[in-house]
Amino acid sequence: MKTSVAQILANALLLLFLVAGGLALYDRIVVRPALVIGVVDVAEVYRSKEAEFTQILTKTALEEDRQKALLMARIFAQRLPVALEELPRDCNCLVVLKSAIAGWTSHTVDLTPLLRKKVDTP
């Protein structure tokens, strides 16, 4: 069985397209998402919520308001871990704490407002 030069070139061209497609797919799925780093300041979100709860608790003497503040704190405690797990999927990026970043780059995205929105009680 003899293969002609045209068949060899066609196979080589097909192989070249397959490799180029694989590299493009790898770039889209692996390399580019790894370039973006999402930064979240969990401590800031936690402190602001803590201040909100403290204000409600100290401002009122009604047991009903105190129970409402405790319920809000419980809901926040349940939503925070879930929201933190969702952030990498939402931005399709690596998410790290703000305290772990030494400097900001053009590939750094602040996700603190998104976290705040996810944990806010309606």
Side-chain angles (χ1 to χ4, degrees):
M1 227 187 218
K2 238 179 173 181
T3 56
S4 69
V5 174
Q7 287 176 329
I8 293 173
L9 287 176
N11 286 337
L13 189 59
L14 177 63
L15 181 63
L16 179 67
F17 283 131
L18 289 174
V19 169
L23 288 175
L25 187 63
Y26 177 77
D27 180 62
R28 288 278 184 198
I29 293 174
V30 177
V31 176
R32 288 191 188 183
L35 292 177
V36 177
I37 298 174
V39 178
V40 65
D41 192 350
V42 177
E44 177 187 320
V45 173
Y46 187 83
R47 279 191 305 269
S48 68
K49 279 296 186 183
E50 184 180 45
E52 182 182 334
F53 301 143
T54 303
Q55 183 181 16
I56 292 171
L57 287 172
T58 57
K59 187 172 68 171
T60 184
L62 298 175
E63 185 62 29
E64 182 180 316
D65 289 339
R66 290 179 186 265
Q67 291 302 319
K68 181 181 174 186
L70 291 174
L71 179 63
M72 287 173 58
R74 193 174 306 121
I75 291 171
F76 172 75
Q78 292 169 348
R79 286 186 180 176
L80 183 63
V82 174
L84 288 171
E85 286 180 18
E86 291 174 352
L87 284 178
R89 287 190 301 258
D90 291 347
C91 75
N92 196 24
C93 64
L94 172 68
V95 177
V96 296
L97 295 175
K98 185 177 181 181
S99 60
I101 297 293
W104 292 79
T105 68
S106 60
H107 299 289
T108 307
V109 178
D110 187 12
L111 299 175
T112 305
L114 180 60
L115 177 64
R116 202 180 297 274
K117 185 175 163 183
K118 286 179 171 289
V119 297
D120 275 344
T121 53

